[in-house]
Amino acid sequence: MNKDINIAIIGGGIGGLTTALCLEYYGFKNYTIYEQAKEFKEVGAAISLWPNALHVYKEIDIYDDLTTKWGEMKSGYIKTDTGEILTHTKPKYDLPLVCIHRADLHSTLLKKIPQERLIPFHKLEKITQRSGITKILFKNGIEIEPDIIIGADGINSTVRKYIINDGSPIYRGYNIWRGIATLKDTPSGYSSETWGNGKRVGIVPIKDNKFGWWATINENENITETPQEMLKKLTEQFGNWHEPIPQLFESSAEIIKNKIGDRIPTKGWSKDNLVLLGDAAHPTTPNLGQGACMAIEGAFILSKCFAHFDDYSKAFKQYENLHYKRSAEIVKQSLQNGKMGQLENIIAVKSRNLLIKSMPPKLAMKMLDKFFGYNVTKIDITKG
């Protein structure tokens, strides 16, 4: 494909920025990233980067810039709310399993992109097409006519509405709260998930005694809370759980709340000169820690397809052929893991805990290796 082709990336999150850097890697420099917010930034929470994502960052020469910013997950536990250990694993892959502050990852990617390629405060309003020309209209009145449009605009994607139009995401019955806490007495490589009845807490290491955490509770999706109400709820719900869980909430400067949703995996990620990427294409619940990782994989595949094929329609088709099956499997597996973790029935919870406790840790990790140990940079772009 012509390396000078004009590409618009809608969305300046991790997926959008990674796409830009993958395009750069393959020689496509005529791109612009449009972000709806007034500035390019990320929220104050942690993000997991499994080896499958790090293979991409290593290939495009971002890996070394991140190594001082992350914490490695060296020892993982699943526990009950009393602290009983159901399983203990020590992941071993070619690359580490890490956790990083979302803002640190985002800013590292941002610094690699020329300033003139970053356009904030441009919220996509409408997509129109006449006489074979696709026009993008932003809420501020600015209109553009790029050769290719990549929709990296998240789970509520406007680009997806134009291409697929499958309605709103599916709420999965529980909300999630996230934050970053300082835990001085917790080992640096410690990570865990604690499963109760209809609620869970996860802890992952970042660096310098900083740990990212998340908590989930089965409840109505439309409950709104002030920061004080969130802190009160979390303290009441998890205050008697094992250490260090009760310490997490008070020691977090900010607590962020989101509802958990996804979509049923659907083919047809492109239309005319538009294509979807990341959560816009295959949104997933966070139960495998693969949301951002799959966007990173997708960014690499799409860019490699651009470099290999002579027109964008062929590139779009092969990108979906190569990425759909894997992303759909992750969406489905993540959904099932969430259902298991959020069980409320006492008998079902006891049965679940017994099952986890009886499963050899090596077997459990082997079942997940196909997700985490995958190296997309070795993919044969001509097959699929």
Side-chain angles (χ1 to χ4, degrees):
M1 198 184 304
N2 182 358
K3 295 290 176 71
D4 293 324
I5 196 165
N6 180 12
I7 302 171
I9 301 171
I10 309 300
I14 290 165
L17 298 184
T18 301
T19 300
L21 292 173
C22 288
L23 288 171
E24 287 262 9
Y25 177 78
Y26 281 105
F28 296 88
K29 300 183 183 298
N30 188 19
Y31 63 83
T32 307
I33 307 173
Y34 296 92
E35 166 59 36
Q36 66 177 346
K38 291 184 178 180
E39 58 182 316
F40 284 78
K41 66 177 185 178
E42 264 290 354
V43 297
I47 183 171
S48 297
L49 293 177
W50 291 79
N52 58 302
L54 293 183
H55 279 298
V56 173
Y57 285 146
K58 200 169 186 66
E59 181 72 17
I60 65 173
D61 201 24
I62 301 295
Y63 184 93
D64 290 343
D65 295 276
L66 296 171
T67 55
T68 60
K69 298 178 173 66
W70 68 40
E72 185 176 349
M73 290 182 256
K74 297 180 179 179
S75 189
Y77 297 85
I78 295 180
K79 300 180 179 182
T80 68
D81 54 9
T82 62
E84 179 189 359
I85 296 172
L86 299 177
T87 187
H88 175 210
T89 58
K90 293 184 177 182
K92 291 183 179 180
Y93 296 100
D94 292 340
L95 295 177
L97 194 174
V98 304
C99 189
I100 188 170
H101 195 300
R102 293 185 75 98
D104 285 342
L105 173 58
H106 192 267
S107 64
T108 300
L109 300 176
L110 204 60
K111 289 174 184 176
K112 297 284 185 177
I113 297 171
Q115 189 66 35
E116 66 270 17
R117 300 293 175 194
L118 303 167
I119 310 295
F121 207 33
H122 276 58
K123 180 177 175 58
L124 178 57
E125 175 99 353
K126 188 167 61 172
I127 301 170
T128 59
Q129 189 173 65
R130 291 180 185 175
S131 304
I133 298 175
T134 305
K135 293 186 177 182
I136 297 285
L137 177 65
F138 296 101
K139 198 169 184 179
N140 58 15
I142 294 174
E143 191 174 68
I144 60 171
E145 298 177 12
D147 297 318
I148 291 175
I149 299 113
I150 300 174
D153 50 341
I155 190 171
N156 296 301
S157 168
T158 302
V159 182
R160 184 185 180 102
K161 185 176 181 181
Y162 178 80
I163 295 175
I164 300 177
N165 196 25
D166 56 348
S168 300
I170 302 167
Y171 179 64
R172 293 303 183 180
Y174 53 104
N175 287 314
I176 187 168
W177 293 258
R178 294 174 292 156
I180 293 176
T182 301
L183 301 174
K184 293 183 179 180
D185 297 325
T186 302
S188 60
Y190 173 88
S191 65
S192 67
E193 280 195 31
T194 300
W195 293 8
N197 293 19
K199 50 191 177 182
R200 289 176 289 160
V201 174
I203 302 172
V204 289
I206 303 179
K207 61 171 185 173
D208 301 332
N209 301 121
K210 299 288 185 184
F211 288 78
W213 61 266
W214 53 264
T216 58
I217 302 174
N218 291 347
E219 63 175 23
N220 187 286
E221 66 177 306
N222 296 316
I223 298 174
T224 57
E225 297 166 335
T226 65
Q228 293 77 17
E229 288 169 336
M230 285 193 283
L231 178 58
K232 183 174 183 291
K233 173 183 280 188
L234 294 170
T235 301
E236 289 175 349
Q237 292 283 339
F238 303 104
N240 64 345
W241 283 30
H242 69 81
E243 292 292 341
I245 290 172
Q247 304 175 43
L248 297 174
F249 316 118
E250 285 281 3
S251 61
S252 296
E254 181 184 18
I255 297 176
I256 300 160
K257 179 183 178 182
N258 299 104
K259 54 188 178 182
I260 295 295
D262 61 7
R263 295 180 184 274
I264 296 171
T266 305
K267 291 186 176 181
W269 294 349
S270 62
K271 180 180 179 181
D272 303 317
N273 62 335
L274 298 99
V275 66
L276 301 173
L277 184 130
D279 281 349
H282 43 72
T284 180
T285 58
N287 300 295
L288 284 174
Q290 283 291 306
C293 295
M294 292 309 295
I296 293 163
E297 279 191 24
F300 187 85
I301 296 173
L302 181 61
S303 301
K304 191 171 184 178
C305 285
F306 281 3
H308 182 81
F309 294 97
D310 55 7
D311 70 69
Y312 61 73
S313 61
K314 292 178 182 177
F316 289 170
K317 182 179 180 180
Q318 186 65 344
Y319 155 66
E320 184 172 323
N321 284 343
L322 293 168
H323 198 41
Y324 175 79
K325 182 179 178 181
R326 176 169 161 78
S327 62
E329 191 174 2
I330 283 173
V331 171
K332 292 173 183 177
Q333 186 62 56
S334 184
L335 177 62
Q336 290 306 312
N337 285 15
K339 287 179 178 179
M340 181 177 288
Q342 296 298 132
L343 287 172
E344 287 188 89
N345 179 275
I346 294 175
I347 295 175
V349 168
K350 287 183 178 179
S351 298
R352 173 197 70 193
N353 293 353
L354 284 171
L355 175 64
I356 296 170
K357 196 167 186 177
S358 64
M359 183 179 294
K362 286 186 178 180
L363 176 60
M365 288 306 299
K366 189 174 182 179
M367 292 169 63
L368 299 174
D369 283 349
K370 62 180 177 179
F371 300 138
F372 307 145
Y374 184 74
N375 186 350
V376 72
T377 68
K378 303 299 184 183
I379 197 168
D380 184 346
I381 212 72
T382 65
K383 295 182 179 180

